[in-house]
Amino acid sequence: MNIADEQRYRTQLVKAASALRTMEAEVVRLRRQHTEAIAVIGMGCRFPGGADDPEAFWTLLSDGVDTVSQRPDRATGDAGATGAFLPSVDGFDGAFFGIAPREADALDPQHRLLLEVAWEALEDAGVATERLAGSRTGVFVGMSSNDYLLLSARSGAMSGYTGTGTAHSFGAGRLSYLLGLRGPSLAVDTACSSSLVAVHLAIRSLRTGESSLALAGGVNLVLDEAVTEMISDLQALSPDGRCRSFDARANGFVRGEGCGIVVLKRLSDALADGDRVLAVLQGSAMNSDGRSAGLTAPNPLAQRDLLRQAFADAQVRPVDIGYVETHGTGTALGDPVEIEALAEVFGEGDANSDGCVLGAVKTNIGHLEAAAGIAGLIKAVLALQYAEIPRNLHFSTLNPRISLTGTPFVIPTKTTAWPEGEKPRIAGVSSFGMSGTNAHVVVAEAPTVEQLPPRGGPVLLPLSARSPTALIELAIAHANVLEREDDPCDVAYTAGARRDHHEWRTAVVGASGAELAEQLHAFVRAGATRARAMAPTITYVFSGQGAQWIGMGRELQGTEPVFRAALEECDRLVAEHTSLSLLAELAAPEGESRLHRTEIAQPALFACQIALSALLASWGIRPDAVIGHSVGEIAAAHVAGALSLAEAIRIVVSRGRLMAPADGSGAMVAVALGPDEIANVIAGSNTSVVVAAINDDRSVVLSGSVDELHTVLNPLQRRDVHCRWLPGGYAFHSPSMAPMATKLAKELAAVECGPTTCPMYSTVRGDRIAGSELTGDYWANNVRQPVRFTDAVRAAARDRQQIFLEIAPHSVLSGHIANCLDTTAAIPTLRRERPEQRSLLNSIAELYTAGYPVDFARLYPARRRVATLPRYPWQRKRHWLDTPAPPSEQVAVAPAHWVDELIGLPNGDREAAIEAAVRRDTAALLQLPSPSDIPVDGKFMALGMDSLMAVQLRHELAARTGLALPSTLAFDHQTPRAVTQYLLKVLTEYTKDET
């Protein structure tokens, strides 16, 4: 072998070794992926005994409550007379989910319950559903009963909605549809093990990457006697209505109702995303009994294999298991078989072990059948969280067919402490299906996560709902929670960054739970809610000189790194043009401050406005348009993208320096008169006083010499016209500024400006500009010409700009904006000598309640803990097969010549008549009482209209108008307003054809 061959051989060996290492790493990755632990990050439940959330369920378990009761509508001795029932299963908040009354009536209450509990589980997990649309979120739901379908058939209430309302697949499918989830979506029916099998399938889907998040669980309601009678014929029901798991008196189970959902995510993803991990699913297994003593008889060999497979998947030993939540039905055959299988797998107790507790939640809430396994899993998670195992009820003497001798097993007759120790606490949960499908899940305690220290200072708590009544109830519930919270930061973080935000809103700011609670109580006492939010546009308004004050920006410099960094960058760029130190000037005490001097005030004000804009941008708040008042136009031009920061600072420094010699040249006075009236006053005064700014229809600023201003003002003051002298000795925006304006244009020469990235409304020209106009001459006019603030604001309003946020250290323009537009759409940011952080949060609160989509996660650079908050307050209405349609406004059938009548109406009246007809027909289809319940810009699908109703709407309108309308009318034109505009267009073409 020559040297060249040897070199090639070595190169090939290196490549082979590298490929081998890559393959080994891939094998490790795949092995880790297929055994990765799954985090439980949220839970929701509705169990008997008022256990409407996990906390209430734990209270029920720890208090040893037996939820079995007599159903009022059944006769004593009836097989279905006793059970663990849920109250008022006919109630449903269809409006929340956009489901129309007609469809809600046909919807299986199990499906309705699933929707509500799944939503609550996501809330508990801190997962906002608006972020799930299009994600690989899977839905795995156990359901096995069809009682509502049987009731529908018996009552003759079958309709087109019966199929989609009762088939099991639609229970999962509807949830995926409503939330826009694109992961697997399936209903699981393995009888009693359905929900735990669903969890097992979810674990597998997450491990393979098929799902990124999963909702898993089950639901069961007892709505018809037929199934109960069949189970009774099998001698499986307890005659006295008690489930006595493992007891000598065990004589069957009692049926129960409920729903449970867990939110699952790969543990590595949950920790990376800052989720609250409640417990960890280490592994699971599923198998079938195969051939046993009978179709419905359990198989101890299959159960033994199941346990071993689950422990192998979880990589744990039986000795590691401290608690098993058993299937524990309390039947003469089932209990001994289950203990036999457990004893064979666990063997004799370890001398160093604390034993293994056998729990049975069925003794509390009965057998929830398709939801039984998820009830056991939620109980196990809660036991890990609360470090104790609740006692089993109805146990006094061990079943004589069961022996615990030589086993590690203990049946708890009192609450058993289960504290954290040197090794992780682990539980197992079993669920066996009557048809032979078995499942077991291994659950471990959550990893310890470092707790963040309390964060001082004020916080912003946003609350929202889909109706005003729900918002009031939500505010009361949060106030009750906050009254017990010393540090409300986690509550505010969860409510803002981890919850969905609906159209009815309120928000409060406070530094303590008590303060926030009191504000919420005040909101409730007022008996009013915020206006419906519609995601408005936002215009930044940058004030001119006069908004500065000694101490401005100091608090934000200390608390907000982004604000300070922006100030420091401005300070650095200012230093390139002058010896002025912005930071030193802002920090100067009152006796040494020079903020009253325009050459200091202008760049200082500019820097604060830029820093405020940068801070808001870091929070995800950016303008859709900008307006600048006087010197504020420089900051506006930079934020709009027309000027670089360096060029904007060159302009503001030059402007301030050249205007400084004008000190003592005159004064300025704000006068509460309109521009036309003050023009007449000035014309008759024989003075050179001019209007320096028009701020609204009843407010102008005059500029001139002090003596001439007195001449103009004296008669006004005798008329009690409000006049206020502005601080400083400058006559800005007057003829005395002409020499300075000329010098500024010459000094600036060629200004480096470009097109704006958002609309800019000029207060020099009173209209929108493109950005290329911002030349040296423009800035000269900015100094000399009057500020046409009113014109600029109205130009923005004409372009549908809606919310105006004043970017200034003190609010001087918000009142004028409100006067210009006759609206409360003006929001200040900071106020003189008021806490800056609180003031800014109050501004964001106002933006939020006005409908602006605030990204609350950006308010928390360090992730906070997900807190447990009150559930959404459902506004339920009765929906059942016999629910009568709500009374609706009587609508006269349109006469045959209705179109002819429309043609004879003025354009505005014609549009109103068509819009009213569209809303009437829509309300009738949705079974809503009044057309006023149909918002003109509300999307049909969001209102609860489905494809069948959409086609029916087309038929109704075609019959009403006699016009040929497409079957896709409501799909192509998705709101009443859009349909109205389309019908107007068709009507116009029809009129031309007739002519």
Side-chain angles (χ1 to χ4, degrees):
M1 180 182 292
N2 57 36
I3 296 175
D5 290 338
E6 184 177 343
Q7 183 62 41
R8 281 195 298 272
Y9 183 67
R10 286 181 176 178
T11 301
Q12 290 173 349
L13 283 176
V14 170
K15 287 183 178 178
S18 176
L20 185 60
R21 285 192 295 270
T22 301
M23 292 172 64
E24 288 175 341
E26 180 64 11
V27 169
V28 170
R29 186 190 68 80
L30 289 172
R31 185 178 293 119
R32 185 188 304 116
Q33 173 182 300
H34 288 288
T35 59
E36 182 169 6
I38 303 300
V40 180
I41 63 172
M43 302 190 297
C45 67
R46 195 87 82 252
F47 294 139
D52 291 345
D53 55 49
E55 291 71 29
F57 185 38
W58 178 252
T59 299
L60 180 151
L61 293 171
S62 60
D63 290 348
V65 175
D66 180 358
T67 64
V68 173
S69 63
Q70 188 88 7
R71 178 167 275 186
D73 57 351
R74 299 290 179 85
T76 303
D78 182 358
T82 56
F85 303 116
L86 296 179
S88 306
V89 295
D90 56 350
F92 178 55
D93 191 348
F96 180 92
F97 294 102
I99 297 175
R102 181 185 299 180
E103 183 179 4
D105 291 345
L107 193 61
D108 189 330
Q110 294 182 125
H111 296 201
R112 307 176 201 163
L113 192 57
L114 172 64
L115 290 176
E116 291 185 359
V117 174
W119 185 275
E120 292 166 5
L122 287 168
E123 283 192 329
D124 185 61
V127 176
T129 64
E130 56 202 24
R131 298 194 185 104
L132 292 181
S135 70
R136 296 194 315 275
T137 297
V139 176
F140 305 82
V141 181
M143 283 192 286
S144 61
S145 65
N146 289 292
D147 290 7
Y148 205 63
L149 177 60
L150 295 174
L151 291 176
S152 300
R154 288 200 191 102
S155 67
M158 305 285 279
S159 71
Y161 293 113
T162 302
T164 59
T166 60
H168 292 164
S169 59
F170 284 94
R174 182 176 286 101
L175 179 57
S176 296
Y177 164 74
L178 290 173
L179 301 184
L181 313 179
R182 295 187 181 173
S185 184
L186 61 149
V188 178
D189 184 359
T190 58
C192 316
S193 60
S194 298
S195 57
L196 206 62
V197 169
V199 172
H200 167 77
L201 295 175
I203 292 172
R204 293 297 185 267
S205 183
L206 287 164
R207 283 178 170 176
T208 62
E210 181 182 55
S211 294
S212 56
L213 185 79
L215 292 162
V219 60
N220 187 65
L221 290 177
V222 181
L223 306 175
D224 186 77
E225 296 182 16
V227 175
T228 301
E229 291 170 354
M230 284 188 286
I231 298 174
S232 180
D233 290 342
L234 294 173
Q235 304 297 309
L237 292 182
S238 168
D240 56 1
R242 291 293 178 272
C243 188
R244 298 183 173 90
S245 303
F246 313 121
D247 190 84
R249 299 167 296 158
N251 57 1
F253 64 83
V254 59
R255 299 191 76 191
E257 299 180 324
C259 179
I261 294 289
V262 291
V263 183
L264 307 178
K265 184 185 281 190
R266 289 181 289 273
L267 179 60
S268 57
D269 291 341
L271 294 175
D273 294 342
D275 294 315
R276 177 184 57 182
V277 178
L278 305 177
V280 175
L281 307 185
Q282 295 281 74
S284 64
M286 173 180 67
N287 73 2
S288 173
D289 284 333
R291 182 174 289 278
S292 62
L295 176 63
T296 61
N299 187 336
L301 298 179
Q303 292 184 19
R304 178 197 65 191
D305 292 344
L306 174 78
L307 293 168
R308 287 172 176 161
Q309 291 165 15
F311 295 163
D313 185 60
Q315 301 179 34
V316 299
R317 302 170 301 158
V319 72
D320 299 325
I321 309 295
Y323 159 45
V324 173
E325 178 58 33
T326 65
H327 186 60
T329 51
T331 58
L333 178 62
D335 287 356
V337 168
E338 183 169 10
I339 295 296
E340 177 186 342
L342 284 166
E344 186 169 346
V345 172
F346 277 73
E348 295 186 5
D350 189 319
N352 298 320
S353 170
D354 294 328
C356 180
V357 178
L358 301 181
V361 74
K362 291 180 178 65
T363 63
N364 298 93
I365 60 174
H367 190 355
L368 270 55
E369 299 164 15
I374 195 65
L377 178 59
I378 292 175
K379 175 187 173 183
V381 172
L382 292 169
L384 287 165
Q385 285 185 280
Y386 288 94
E388 59 183 38
I389 303 169
R391 67 186 178 95
N392 293 355
L393 305 185
H394 315 307
F395 181 83
S396 58
T397 305
L398 186 65
N399 187 325
R401 299 180 62 187
I402 298 174
S403 174
L404 299 182
T405 303
T407 73
F409 302 129
V410 177
I411 296 176
T413 56
K414 62 180 180 179
T415 298
T416 303
W418 197 22
E420 295 182 14
E422 294 182 0
K423 64 177 186 177
R425 293 166 300 146
I426 303 175
V429 181
S430 291
S431 191
F432 309 137
M434 185 177 285
S435 59
T437 303
N438 310 309
H440 188 85
V441 174
V442 178
V443 194
E445 64 185 25
T448 302
V449 179
E450 182 182 357
Q451 296 295 318
L452 289 173
R455 190 186 91 167
V459 296
L460 166 59
L461 174 68
L463 297 180
S464 67
R466 291 190 175 171
S467 74
T469 304
L471 182 57
I472 291 290
E473 293 180 17
L474 198 64
I476 294 171
H478 277 76
N480 294 336
V481 169
L482 286 163
E483 285 168 348
R484 303 187 297 270
E485 282 285 341
D486 293 329
D487 178 21
C489 187
D490 292 338
V491 172
Y493 164 73
T494 305
R498 294 284 198 148
R499 284 283 176 98
D500 284 270
H501 298 285
H502 310 297
E503 57 265 40
W504 292 91
R505 302 179 173 188
T506 190
V508 293
V509 176
S512 68
E515 182 183 4
L516 292 170
E518 177 50 39
Q519 292 190 52
L520 289 176
H521 284 310
F523 168 74
V524 171
R525 286 193 298 269
T529 59
R530 297 290 184 179
R532 189 181 295 266
M534 296 297 291
T537 57
I538 180 172
T539 299
Y540 279 12
V541 179
F542 297 86
S543 64
Q545 187 171 333
Q548 75 276 7
W549 52 279
I550 298 170
M552 66 178 183
R554 291 180 191 172
E555 180 188 332
L556 292 178
Q557 283 187 68
T559 60
E560 301 294 343
V562 171
F563 185 90
R564 180 170 181 83
L567 280 184
E568 289 173 344
E569 178 63 8
C570 289
D571 181 66
R572 184 185 67 80
L573 292 172
V574 166
E576 294 179 4
H577 303 282
T578 178
S579 59
L580 168 68
S581 168
L582 272 182
L583 294 178
E585 294 294 343
L586 290 171
E590 185 172 1
E592 301 173 18
S593 176
R594 300 189 295 169
L595 284 178
H596 60 284
R597 292 169 52 175
T598 196
E599 69 271 26
I600 307 295
Q602 291 192 35
L605 179 61
F606 170 89
C608 282
Q609 291 172 327
I610 296 305
L612 271 175
S613 300
L615 179 57
L616 290 169
S618 74
W619 292 345
I621 300 171
R622 291 180 173 84
D624 298 295
V626 297
I627 298 173
H629 190 288
S630 188
V631 68
E633 279 208 299
I634 304 174
H638 167 65
V639 171
L643 297 176
S644 68
L645 183 61
E647 187 71 344
I649 283 180
R650 182 174 79 92
I651 294 171
V652 77
V653 170
S654 296
R655 188 183 192 275
R657 175 172 44 78
L658 292 173
M659 294 174 72
D663 190 13
S665 63
M668 303 178 77
V669 182
V671 178
L673 285 179
D676 293 337
E677 189 172 359
I678 198 66
N680 293 331
V681 171
I682 293 173
S685 68
N686 196 28
T687 66
S688 59
V689 168
V690 297
V691 174
I694 304 171
N695 291 331
D696 64 50
D697 290 340
R698 296 291 298 171
S699 181
V700 298
V701 175
L702 304 183
S703 183
S705 69
V706 173
D707 290 341
E708 288 191 323
L709 283 170
H710 278 297
T711 301
V712 173
L713 298 178
N714 286 338
L716 297 179
Q717 290 173 323
R718 287 194 293 270
R719 291 165 44 193
D720 291 328
V721 174
H722 180 69
C723 303
R724 180 173 60 87
W725 292 79
L726 304 183
Y730 303 94
F732 294 149
H733 302 285
S734 73
S736 66
M737 290 291 108
M740 292 80 169
T742 301
K743 291 179 182 178
L744 180 62
K746 183 177 180 181
E747 182 169 309
L748 293 180
V751 174
E752 294 181 5
C753 59
T756 60
T757 55
C758 71
M760 177 176 176
Y761 296 90
S762 166
T763 52
V764 173
R765 301 186 179 186
D767 209 343
R768 180 173 172 175
I769 60 175
S772 57
E773 303 91 334
L774 301 174
T775 62
D777 287 339
Y778 180 92
W779 295 112
N781 289 333
N782 171 272
V783 169
R784 167 63 185 87
Q785 298 298 326
V787 179
R788 298 172 59 185
F789 184 68
T790 302
D791 291 339
V793 168
R794 289 201 170 125
R798 283 196 301 272
D799 288 348
R800 299 185 182 276
Q801 304 300 335
Q802 296 163 300
I803 301 295
F804 295 81
L805 184 67
E806 185 173 359
I807 309 297
H810 178 64
S811 175
V812 293
L813 296 175
S814 294
H816 296 306
I817 296 168
N819 291 338
C820 284
L821 304 179
D822 192 24
T823 178
T824 57
I827 301 173
T829 47
L830 303 181
R831 298 277 193 176
R832 180 179 283 113
E833 297 180 352
R834 292 187 189 178
E836 293 178 326
Q837 193 176 32
R838 182 182 289 262
S839 295
L840 202 53
L841 290 177
N842 277 323
S843 302
I844 297 175
E846 289 195 57
L847 282 176
Y848 173 75
T849 55
Y852 189 80
V854 178
D855 185 354
F856 287 97
R858 291 174 175 263
L859 296 178
Y860 300 90
R863 272 200 203 108
R864 304 295 307 183
R865 179 182 65 89
V866 176
T868 299
L869 300 185
R871 294 176 292 118
Y872 186 86
W874 306 111
Q875 303 302 298
R876 298 186 180 95
K877 295 181 180 179
R878 187 175 190 274
H879 291 285
W880 206 251
L881 299 172
D882 59 352
T883 303
S888 58
E889 294 180 3
Q890 295 299 312
V891 180
V893 177
H897 57 279
W898 186 62
V899 169
D900 295 332
E901 290 184 356
L902 288 176
I903 294 172
L905 294 173
N907 288 340
D909 293 345
R910 184 187 307 171
E911 180 176 352
I914 295 175
E915 180 184 293
V918 172
R919 294 174 73 187
R920 280 197 299 269
D921 288 348
T922 303
L925 283 170
L926 294 174
Q927 293 186 346
L928 296 175
S930 169
S932 62
D933 294 324
I934 305 297
V936 69
D937 290 313
K939 289 190 174 182
F940 292 123
M941 297 304 172
L943 295 171
M945 183 175 290
D946 58 24
S947 56
L948 296 176
M949 293 180 187
V951 174
Q952 185 62 32
L953 177 64
R954 176 264 174 199
H955 293 338
E956 296 290 337
L957 292 172
R960 180 187 290 277
T961 62
L963 300 172
L965 301 177
S967 59
T968 58
L969 175 68
F971 298 99
D972 298 334
H973 311 280
Q974 299 180 8
T975 67
R977 189 190 301 277
V979 170
T980 299
Q981 295 302 317
Y982 173 78
L983 292 177
L984 276 172
K985 179 182 176 183
V986 172
L987 191 62
T988 301
E989 293 172 354
Y990 170 82
T991 305
K992 289 179 181 178
D993 291 343
E994 288 295 304
T995 302

